C-alpha cells in the first residue's frame, strides 16, 4: 500500500472503531500503539484484509503517512497528550495536523493550539460522542481549532460522522478549545438526563412497586413522544428489560448502586460556577453520583435514621403513561439542555468562540449519547432567535413549562414527603420557580453582606451604591 491518508495513535475500543470507520469510508490508514503487540493483534483481527497498516515507532508511523499528515490521537487526556505531542513533533513538518479526539480539558486544548500553531502545525481539539458503536457507525464530532486546520480534515470528518436529514453530525465549532468545551457541556447534559431517568425508575419501583418489564413499557411509551424520544430513554428501557441469566430476575437490581464518573461532569459544573451560569439540574446529577459512591456511609445512615417509610402518592398510572412523572422527566430533561446551552452561550461571549447554537443542536441530533427528537425543537429555537439567552424563553418551551409544571411540583412534593431523594427533579423545580420569580430574597443577603463586611448595596428607588451602619 502507498502512503496512508490518515493516522491513528491509540488502539483502545474507540480508536479501533474510528479507524475502521475511516477505512470503510475510503481512507487508507496507519495505526500506532505504545504496545506493538496490540497493533499486531488488531491487524491480525479486526483490521485484517483492510487498507490499514501498522507502525512500530512514532517515526515509522509518521513516515508512512502522506503529506500533509492527518493524525488522530485517541489516548488518555492530560500529560499523555502532551508527552505524545512532544515526541511526535520531532518528526512532523509544516502543515501537518494533530487531532485530540479524547475528553481533554478545554483550557489544555487552548494552550496546545497556540503552541502547535507557533510551530506551523495544525491542531484540533475534537469532542467525539457516540460510544463504541457510534465511533464505528458514525459519531457526532465537535472539532475546534483554527478554521484552516478544520478545512484540511473536513472531507474525512464529513464521511465519518453520523448522518441526519439535514447533514452530517459534524461542523466547525470555533477557535482554540471551543470543540472540547462543547463536548464537556454535552457530557454535563448527559449526566443530567441519566440521573433524571434513574430518579423516574426509583419512583416507579418504590412508590408503585413496578418491575423491570412494567417500567420498560412506560419508557417505551415515552420514547414515542416528541418530548422524550431519545437514545438514553431507549437504552434505559433495554437495561430494565434485561434479565440475569442465572435466575431470570431483573439484572439491574443486581448492580451495586455506585456510579462512576470521568471528570467531564465536574468540569461542566466548575466552568458554570466560574462563568456565573446556574446549572442546578446538572450539578444535582453530579452530586447524585458522589452521594452514590458513599455506600458504606449511606448504609450506616439507614441503620441510624431508619429508611424512609414510603407514603403512596400519585405519579400516574400505566394507562396515562405515568403522566405526572412524565411531566417531571420532560421538564428536567429540558432544564438539563437549557442549562448546558446557556453555559455555552456565556462561554462563547467570554472566550469569543462565536458558537452557532443551532449548528451545535444539529450535530447532536445523530450519533451522540444525548441525541433526541427534542434537539430539532432546540435547533429551531436558536435558528429563529440566534440571540436567545435561555431555552425557557422560547415560546414552545415556555408552553411546555406552563403545561407540565404542576406535574413536576406534585412529584417533587410527594417524593419529599415519602423520603425519596429526587435531586434533579427538585433542582429543576427550584430552577423554574426562580426564573418565574421577579424578586428573590437576595436583598436580605445583600443587607447581611453590607452589615458584616461593608460590601454596600443598591436600592430599588435610588441610583448608586449605599452603606448602612446596621448595628448601632
Amino acid at each position: 500500500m502507498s502512503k496512508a491518508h490518515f493516522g491513528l495513535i491509540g488502539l483502545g475500543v474507540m480508536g479501533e472503531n474510528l479507524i475502521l470507520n475511516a477505512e470503510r469510508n475510503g481512507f487508507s490508514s496507519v495505526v500506532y500503539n505504545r504496545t506493538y503487540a496490540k497493533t499486531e493483534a488488531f491487524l491480525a483481527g479486526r483490521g485484517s484484509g483492510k487498507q490499514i497498516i501498522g507502525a512500530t515507532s512514532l517515526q515509522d508511523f509518521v513516515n508512512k503517512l502522506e503529506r500533509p499528515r492527518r493524525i488522530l490521537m485517541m489516548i488518555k487526556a492530560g500529560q499523555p497528550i502532551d508527552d505524545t505531542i512532544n515526541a511526535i513533533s520531532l518528526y512532523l513538518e509544516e502543515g501537518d495536523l494533530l487531532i485530540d479526539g479524547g475528553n481533554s480539558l478545554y483550557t489544555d486544548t487552548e494552550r496546545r493550539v497556540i503552541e502547535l500553531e507557533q510551530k506551523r502545525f495544525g491542531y484540533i481539539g475534537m469532542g467525539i460522542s457516540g460510544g463504541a458503536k457510534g465511533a464505528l457507525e458514525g459519531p457526532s464530532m465537535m472539532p475546534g481549532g483554527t478554521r484552516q486546520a478544520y478545512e484540511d480534515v473536513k472531507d474525512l470528518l464529513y464521511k465519518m460522522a453520523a448522518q441526519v436529514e439535514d447533514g452530517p453530525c459534524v461542523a466547525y465549532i470555533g477557535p482554540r478549545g471551543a470543540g472540547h468545551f462543547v463536548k464537556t457541556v454535552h457530557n454535563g447534559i448527559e449526566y443530567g438526563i441519566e440521573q433524571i431517568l434513574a430518579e423516574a425508575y426509583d419512583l416507579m419501583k418504590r412508590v408503585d412497586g413496578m418491575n423491570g418489564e412494567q417500567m420498560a413499557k412506560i419508557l417505551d411509551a415515552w420514547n414515542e413522544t416528541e418530548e422524550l424520544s431519545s437514545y438514553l430513554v431507549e437504552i434505559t428501557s433495554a437495561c430494565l428489560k434485561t434479565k440475569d441469566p442465572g435466575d431470570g430476575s431483573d439484572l439491574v437490581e443486581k448492580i451495586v448502586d455506585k456510579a462512576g464518573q470521568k471528570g467531564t461532569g465536574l468540569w461542566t459544573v466548575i466552568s458554570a460556577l466560574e462563568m456565573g451560569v446556574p446549572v442546578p439540574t446538572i450539578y444535582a446529577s453530579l452530586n447524585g453520583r458522589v452521594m452514590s459512591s458513599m455506600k458504606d456511609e449511606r448504609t450506616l445512615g439507614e441503620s441510624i435514621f431508619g429508611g424512609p417509610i414510603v407514603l403512596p402518592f400519585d405519579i400516574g398510572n400505566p394507562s396515562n403513561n405515568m403522566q405526572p412523572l412524565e411531566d417531571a422527566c420532560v421538564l428536567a430533561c429540558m432544564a438539563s439542555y437549557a442549562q448546558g446551552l446557556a453555559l455555552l452561550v456565556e462561554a462563547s461571549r467570554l472566550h469569543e468562540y462565536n458558537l452557532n447554537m443551532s449548528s451545535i443542536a444539529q450535530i447532536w441530533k445523530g450519533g451522540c449519547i444525548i441525541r433526541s427528537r427534542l434537539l430539532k425543537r432546540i435547533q429551531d429555537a436558536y435558528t429563529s432567535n440566534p440571540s436567545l439567552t435561555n431555552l425557557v424563553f422560547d415560546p414552545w418551551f415556555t408552553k411546555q413549562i406552563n403545561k407540565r409544571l404542576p406535574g413536576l411540583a406534585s412529584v417533587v412534593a410527594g417524593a419529599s414527603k415519602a423520603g425519596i431523594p429526587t435531586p434533579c427533579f427538585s433542582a429543576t423545580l427550584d430552577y423554574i420557580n426562580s426564573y418565574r420569580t421577579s424578586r428573590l430574597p437576595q436583598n436580605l443577603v445583600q443587607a447581611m453582606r453590607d452589615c458584616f463586611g461593608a460590601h454596600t448595596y443598591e436600592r430599588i428607588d435610588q441610583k448608586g451604591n449605599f452603606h448602612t451602619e446596621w448595628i448601632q
Side-chain angles (χ1 to χ4, degrees), residues 172-376:
Y172 177 65
I173 297 297
R176 305 183 311 279
H180 273 145
F181 187 79
V182 169
K183 176 55 164 53
T184 293
V185 174
H186 164 286
N187 286 17
I189 295 169
E190 177 187 318
Y191 272 50
I193 297 173
E194 288 171 352
Q195 174 66 24
I196 290 158
L197 295 174
E199 291 176 22
Y201 145 80
D202 197 29
L203 290 173
M204 285 189 282
K205 181 179 71 170
R206 294 170 69 180
V207 176
D208 279 15
M210 299 170 73
N211 61 33
E213 288 286 346
Q214 292 169 323
M215 289 185 277
K217 189 174 181 179
I218 297 300
L219 270 293
D220 289 341
W222 289 354
N223 204 37
E224 296 296 319
T225 68
E226 179 183 18
E227 295 84 0
L228 285 176
S229 176
S230 66
Y231 173 70
L232 284 170
V233 169
E234 177 185 330
I235 67 169
T236 302
S237 173
C239 292
L240 292 170
K241 290 175 184 174
T242 302
K243 304 299 181 184
D244 183 345
D247 61 11
S249 63
D250 293 339
L251 179 58
V252 72
E253 301 303 334
K254 301 290 182 69
I255 300 175
V256 176
D257 55 321
K258 294 168 67 174
Q261 56 175 305
K262 292 187 176 180
T264 45
L266 176 62
W267 293 346
T268 302
V269 171
I270 290 174
S271 296
L273 291 171
E274 290 174 341
M275 297 180 194
V277 178
V279 292
T281 305
I282 295 173
Y283 171 74
S285 69
L286 178 68
N287 193 56
R289 294 194 187 194
V290 175
M291 287 295 298
S292 78
S293 71
M294 302 166 64
K295 177 71 172 178
D296 293 341
E297 291 182 53
R298 290 187 289 111
T299 301
L300 174 62
E302 184 173 331
S303 69
I304 294 174
F305 307 126
I309 301 173
V310 178
L311 304 173
F313 65 97
D314 182 24
I315 59 172
N317 56 71
S319 66
N320 66 5
N321 292 333
M322 317 300 287
Q323 187 64 59
L325 187 58
E326 181 183 7
D327 290 341
C329 285
V330 168
L331 292 190
C333 288
M334 287 181 178
S336 193
Y337 280 114
Q339 291 163 24
L341 291 163
L343 177 56
L344 291 182
V345 168
E346 182 61 11
S348 183
R349 185 188 69 82
L350 290 174
H351 297 300
E352 299 182 341
Y353 285 156
N354 194 30
L355 299 180
N356 184 323
M357 304 302 294
S358 178
S359 176
I360 290 170
Q362 188 273 332
I363 65 176
W364 286 351
K365 285 163 59 178
C368 78
I369 303 301
I370 63 170
R371 61 186 185 265
S372 67
R373 286 177 62 186
L374 192 62
L375 282 161
K376 179 61 169 65

Side-chain angles (χ1 to χ4, degrees), residues 9 89 101 141 151 175 188 202 229 256 265 291 316 334 368 375 380 402 413 427 431 448 451 454:
I9 299 175
S89 292
M141 295 186 281
E151 293 296 329
D202 197 29
S229 176
V256 176
M291 287 295 298
M334 287 181 178
C368 78
L375 282 161
D380 291 345
N402 289 332
Y431 181 70
M448 289 187 280
C451 182

Side-chain angles (χ1 to χ4, degrees), residues 57-253:
S57 66
L58 285 176
Q59 185 173 11
D60 181 38
F61 172 78
V62 170
N63 288 341
K64 289 178 175 177
L65 281 166
E66 68 181 29
R67 294 199 61 206
R69 301 175 179 95
R70 303 168 183 86
I71 300 167
L72 174 63
M73 300 179 291
M74 293 301 297
I75 56 181
K76 188 177 180 180
Q79 193 60 45
I81 294 288
D82 287 319
D83 291 343
T84 301
I85 290 172
N86 291 335
I88 200 170
S89 292
L90 300 174
Y91 312 113
L92 297 180
E93 300 174 81
E94 183 175 338
D96 291 346
L97 173 64
L98 287 171
I99 306 167
D100 174 9
N103 283 332
S104 286
L105 182 62
Y106 82 102
T107 50
D108 286 343
T109 304
E110 299 261 331
R111 167 178 55 81
R112 292 169 186 148
V113 168
I114 294 171
E115 291 174 354
L116 270 294
E117 292 288 341
Q118 289 174 347
K119 297 179 181 180
R120 306 291 184 181
F121 305 149
Y123 192 82
I124 287 177
M126 183 169 71
I128 301 175
S129 178
K133 184 177 180 181
L136 180 64
E137 298 178 358
S140 171
M141 295 186 281
M142 295 149 258
T146 61
R147 170 68 74 169
Q148 183 56 54
Y150 171 72
E151 293 296 329
D152 289 343
V153 78
K154 181 174 70 174
D155 290 345
L156 170 68
L157 300 183
Y158 267 37
K159 291 182 179 180
M160 290 180 64
Q163 306 291 320
V164 293
E165 71 279 357
D166 51 354
C169 294
V170 61
Y172 177 65
I173 297 297
R176 305 183 311 279
H180 273 145
F181 187 79
V182 169
K183 176 55 164 53
T184 293
V185 174
H186 164 286
N187 286 17
I189 295 169
E190 177 187 318
Y191 272 50
I193 297 173
E194 288 171 352
Q195 174 66 24
I196 290 158
L197 295 174
E199 291 176 22
Y201 145 80
D202 197 29
L203 290 173
M204 285 189 282
K205 181 179 71 170
R206 294 170 69 180
V207 176
D208 279 15
M210 299 170 73
N211 61 33
E213 288 286 346
Q214 292 169 323
M215 289 185 277
K217 189 174 181 179
I218 297 300
L219 270 293
D220 289 341
W222 289 354
N223 204 37
E224 296 296 319
T225 68
E226 179 183 18
E227 295 84 0
L228 285 176
S229 176
S230 66
Y231 173 70
L232 284 170
V233 169
E234 177 185 330
I235 67 169
T236 302
S237 173
C239 292
L240 292 170
K241 290 175 184 174
T242 302
K243 304 299 181 184
D244 183 345
D247 61 11
S249 63
D250 293 339
L251 179 58
V252 72
E253 301 303 334

